[in-house]
Amino acid sequence: MLENVLMNSVFHVSAVMPTALPFLIRLAAVPDIAVRPDLVGLLVIAAELSSPVDADDERQVLMFGKDSDHPERAWCRDVLAAHAPALRALLDEGPPPGGLIGADDRDCLLRALEPQRGPS
């Protein structure tokens, strides 16, 4: 499965994810591709797991590690921000059932379009 290559664990994206993201974004933009919902799901996971970790929050640091120890998160944020127009087009499709993305996932992707760099 693609997820096994792109994820180091349930809480960590792999170093491969930033390289794969542009391709995933382009593929997710293809309206009639059979695995489109799965691709969008991977984009949401990448956006969520690349969010900056609050270094003062012991629980977050324990679960996700410090940002300084996981540069792939910042790389993913940079890629997502660089591909903001394509991601916005996905978001413009609206919520299910007609669209691809539910409200929570939409919010997650919107936050990823303008990443906030946090100290770690």
Side-chain angles (χ1 to χ4, degrees):
M1 291 181 117
L2 183 58
E3 293 91 355
N4 294 338
V5 175
L6 299 176
M7 307 291 293
N8 280 344
S9 72
V10 176
F11 298 116
H12 299 283
V13 295
S14 76
V16 179
M17 181 66 88
T19 303
L21 273 175
F23 301 103
L24 296 174
I25 292 166
R26 280 188 231 126
L27 282 172
V30 177
D32 57 350
I33 193 166
V35 294
R36 193 173 191 217
D38 298 325
L39 292 170
V40 172
L42 279 172
L43 295 177
V44 172
I45 290 169
E48 186 65 39
L49 292 180
S50 64
S51 298
V53 171
D54 180 356
D56 295 329
D57 185 331
E58 287 184 41
R59 185 173 182 204
Q60 268 194 4
V61 172
L62 181 63
M63 287 179 61
F64 301 108
K66 293 182 178 181
D67 281 350
S68 60
D69 295 333
H70 296 279
E72 64 276 4
R73 289 198 294 247
W75 300 336
C76 284
R77 291 192 300 268
D78 291 343
V79 171
L80 291 166
H83 290 82
L87 289 168
R88 285 190 194 284
L90 285 173
L91 295 173
D92 288 343
E93 291 186 20
L100 284 172
I101 302 171
D104 290 340
D105 291 347
R106 186 178 196 290
D107 290 345
C108 178
L109 282 174
L110 278 172
R111 284 191 306 272
L113 297 183
E114 297 177 19
Q116 303 287 316
R117 301 227 185 249
S120 289

